[in-house]
Amino acid sequence: MTIIETKDLDLWYGSMQALKKINLSMEEKSITALIGPSGCGKSTFLRTLNRMNDLVPGVRIEGQVIYNGEDIFSPKVDVNGLRYEVGMVFQKPNPFMMSIYDNIAYGPRTHGIKSKVKLDEIVEKALVDASLFDEVKDRLRKSALGLSGGQQQRLCIARALAVQPKVLLMDEPTSALDPISTAKIEELAMSLCDRYTIIIVTHNMQQALRIAHKTAFFLLGEVIEYDTTERIFSNPSDSRTEDYVTGRFG
Amino acid sequence: MRTRFDSELETLYVSMIKMGSLSEEALSALHDALTGNGRSRLDSIAAISHQIDEKEREIEALCLRLLLKRQPVARDLRTISSAMKMVVDIERIGDNAGDISEIIPFISNDELPARIGLDRMCGEVTDMVVGAIDAFVHSDTEKAQAVLSSDDIVDNSFVNAKEMITTMIREGDKDAAEAPDLLMIAKYFERMGDHAASLARWVLNAFDASGDWLNNPVQVK
């Protein structure tokens, strides 16, 4: 079932058009990879899905992003509520300067949850889901900044999971990580996708191949090809996709 | 920006051409012997077949190295995986040439093979093998399709040869004793035609964009 669908989505930064008539529909509980050379619009597209681009000065958006049957740009939509449901994990782990526990509890607390028992439960579940609990259970009150880069990234995923999102947007979540930490995040993404929808921007083709069900190839603000990942990387329909995935440009 | 990988693929193409040339050389030696132009080159076929075996191992190793180092996708992956399958067919063609070269000396009448069209079969198979390798190197799906169609010609030649051989036996031809050897040669050529058709299928598998490369690999007879 489609969870997010974009219809003729255009986006301009000032006079520069960064997205051109994007029509993509993303399946619920699956992993979709967005690939393409730098500046092709994939991160812009990702950030549009939870209205992060609203914060960029001079941005203008036309077209629709339908999430759960409703256009996210409709005045009726509560943007904060949208961002709880459509969470985001960034390229560089960005834990808050507070304890591991408080990082996770931050979102639920702003939601108004005050019960310690309830918060303990949420923190533990988020850490378990993010495959981090066993590594940090004895130091939940210690600073999150003491964790390794890979652990910090999983903490950020746990923090996103703590507010019970439906969709996780990941913008190159492993580009700053070593291979072992990368493998853990990939395993995590694959184990989460039976409960969450994941949309991931990646420069790592092999990563898209390993984890994504479908892959969209972006070039100069357009979606050139969107198909099963196996098809994109074995026998793509468009020669530009073929040239990009085989490293002939980009 | 990927000059090195392209030059490695060029090496693969050159090796495939060399392997194809070796099988062509073996077939040419057979052709001489089957048209009564002397059997002196037959002895070279065993050595050629050995060289083909070595080339197969060399190309397989190159392909494995490319898979390991380059982690190819899309066209590169299709090219390399097809090459790995094609060398197996070329190797079998070399083996079949070796088998035929061992039978020919037992045929006492030089004119017999041409009488039942074995020389023609040899020429037909040679065209198929050369065409398939050429189609691979030039990503030429039309040529591969033409090679595939030629398999019917070789199959027909086999049926004709078999009928003539049956007639020889039935009519008590003076050369009827040679019939089993002639039939075996015809059968080997027919098998070589199948392998050449298989080569063409692997070319189509790699370069025909309309196919479902992953789920529907070419069916080899």
Side-chain angles (χ1 to χ4, degrees):
Chain A
M1 202 181 88
T2 300
I3 186 164
I4 297 186
E5 185 178 9
T6 68
K7 292 184 178 172
D8 289 340
L9 183 68
D10 287 314
L11 183 144
W12 289 264
Y13 292 122
S15 61
M16 205 273 289
Q17 187 168 5
L19 295 176
K20 296 171 190 166
K21 295 272 172 287
I22 309 290
N23 290 290
L24 278 185
S25 75
M26 274 139 304
E27 293 294 305
E28 190 182 36
K29 294 174 185 168
S30 71
I31 303 179
T32 303
L34 312 179
I35 61 166
S38 299
C40 68
K42 55 193 189 302
S43 291
T44 295
F45 177 75
L46 193 75
R47 286 198 301 269
T48 308
L49 300 181
N50 71 347
R51 293 189 52 179
M52 295 273 288
N53 280 326
D54 289 12
L55 311 169
V56 180
V59 79
R60 183 161 65 87
I61 298 168
E62 284 179 12
Q64 290 181 308
V65 176
I66 311 291
Y67 167 66
N68 270 345
E70 194 169 17
D71 185 1
I72 63 166
F73 299 114
S74 149
K76 283 188 292 182
V77 167
D78 164 25
V79 179
N80 286 330
L82 172 72
R83 290 186 191 140
Y84 278 124
E85 291 203 14
V86 184
M88 186 130 188
V89 177
F90 297 89
Q91 181 176 1
K92 243 181 104 184
N94 56 350
F96 303 142
M97 288 176 69
M98 48 179 77
S99 72
I100 294 168
Y101 184 98
D102 288 340
N103 261 275
I104 313 284
Y106 188 90
R109 277 181 181 136
T110 59
H111 252 324
I113 298 172
K114 293 200 172 67
S115 150
K116 187 178 176 308
V117 177
K118 183 72 185 156
L119 284 172
D120 285 355
E121 195 183 301
I122 290 172
V123 169
E124 177 169 342
K125 184 170 186 315
L127 286 170
V128 168
D129 282 353
S131 310
L132 189 60
F133 185 70
D134 288 341
E135 293 167 54
V136 300
K137 63 183 177 209
D138 301 324
R139 47 171 170 157
L140 291 176
R141 298 291 170 185
K142 298 258 172 67
S143 168
L145 302 181
L147 298 173
S148 72
Q151 288 172 327
Q152 286 186 10
Q153 194 62 304
R154 277 179 286 145
L155 178 73
C156 293
I157 293 172
R159 192 174 63 193
L161 297 179
V163 293
Q164 296 184 305
K166 299 278 191 303
V167 180
L168 266 187
L169 308 176
M170 297 183 165
D171 195 356
E172 295 184 52
T174 62
S175 60
L177 303 181
D178 65 86
I180 302 287
S181 305
T182 298
K184 282 185 181 164
I185 300 278
E186 289 179 3
E187 280 292 327
L188 177 57
M190 286 185 279
S191 69
L192 290 175
C193 80
D194 58 356
R195 282 170 290 157
Y196 304 92
T197 303
I198 295 174
I199 304 167
I200 180 170
V201 166
T202 181
H203 275 294
N204 183 335
M205 306 286 173
Q206 299 298 330
Q207 179 167 75
L209 256 170
R210 283 191 293 266
I211 70 173
H213 301 99
K214 292 186 86 174
T215 295
F217 169 55
F218 280 69
L219 185 66
L220 300 170
E222 288 179 80
V223 171
I224 303 299
E225 193 165 349
Y226 179 47
D227 210 326
T228 62
T229 299
E230 287 184 348
R231 175 85 191 182
I232 292 285
F233 287 97
S234 64
N235 210 353
S237 317
D238 194 290
S239 60
R240 290 167 293 179
T241 314
E242 179 120 8
D243 285 348
Y244 179 71
V245 298
T246 55
R248 286 184 167 81
F249 75 86
Chain B
M1 72 178 272
R2 39 165 281 175
T3 9
R4 238 166 247 278
F5 189 11
D6 282 337
S7 89
E8 285 164 341
L9 284 175
E10 197 58 42
T11 306
L12 173 63
Y13 287 132
V14 170
S15 297
M16 291 291 285
I17 293 170
K18 280 185 185 159
M19 193 174 177
S21 304
L22 286 167
S23 59
E24 194 184 345
E25 199 182 323
L27 283 160
S28 151
L30 288 181
H31 196 264
D32 276 1
L34 293 170
T35 46
N37 286 329
R39 296 178 173 179
S40 58
R41 289 173 67 204
L42 281 183
D43 293 342
S44 69
I45 291 179
I48 295 171
S49 178
H50 183 67
Q51 283 176 276
I52 289 176
D53 292 349
E54 279 181 357
K55 211 75 198 156
E56 181 194 19
R57 284 191 289 274
E58 178 193 313
I59 292 173
E60 274 176 352
L62 172 62
C63 289
L64 288 175
R65 207 171 294 122
L66 289 176
L67 290 176
L68 174 69
K69 281 170 39 179
R70 302 293 178 185
Q71 302 190 0
V73 295
R75 184 191 186 86
D76 300 326
L77 176 63
R78 299 185 329 256
T79 301
I80 294 166
S81 55
S82 278
M84 288 187 78
K85 301 296 285 189
M86 288 175 77
V87 292
V88 176
D89 282 310
I90 305 175
E91 189 271 335
R92 296 309 302 271
I93 289 169
D95 279 356
N96 288 159
D99 294 332
I100 295 174
S101 75
E102 288 171 10
I103 298 172
I104 291 176
F106 292 102
I107 298 172
S108 48
N109 183 346
D110 269 5
E111 293 168 4
L112 257 183
R115 210 171 83 197
I116 56 170
L118 295 181
D119 57 333
R120 203 179 58 246
M121 281 187 92
C122 185
E124 288 160 359
V125 168
T126 307
D127 289 346
M128 285 179 78
V129 174
V130 172
I133 301 289
D134 199 44
F136 175 73
V137 171
H138 296 104
S139 318
D140 186 341
T141 50
E142 271 180 36
K143 183 168 260 178
Q145 202 64 59
V147 171
L148 207 49
S149 308
S150 307
D151 193 29
D152 289 342
I153 300 174
V154 178
D155 286 347
N156 280 337
S157 297
F158 173 67
V159 172
N160 289 340
K162 194 171 74 175
E163 279 169 7
M164 281 192 254
I165 293 164
T166 315
T167 307
M168 276 173 66
I169 299 168
R170 196 171 47 235
E171 294 179 354
D173 190 288
K174 65 180 173 51
D175 294 315
E178 320 264 14
D181 286 338
L182 295 169
L183 186 61
M184 281 179 75
I185 293 175
K187 187 63 192 167
Y188 280 130
F189 278 129
E190 189 268 337
R191 287 297 301 147
M192 288 160 110
D194 287 346
H195 285 299
S198 170
L199 291 175
R201 283 194 195 89
W202 288 115
V203 175
L204 289 172
N205 197 221
F207 304 120
D208 182 359
S210 62
D212 183 352
W213 178 80
L214 200 61
N215 297 309
N216 255 328
V218 286
Q219 299 298 310
V220 180
K221 272 205 265 184

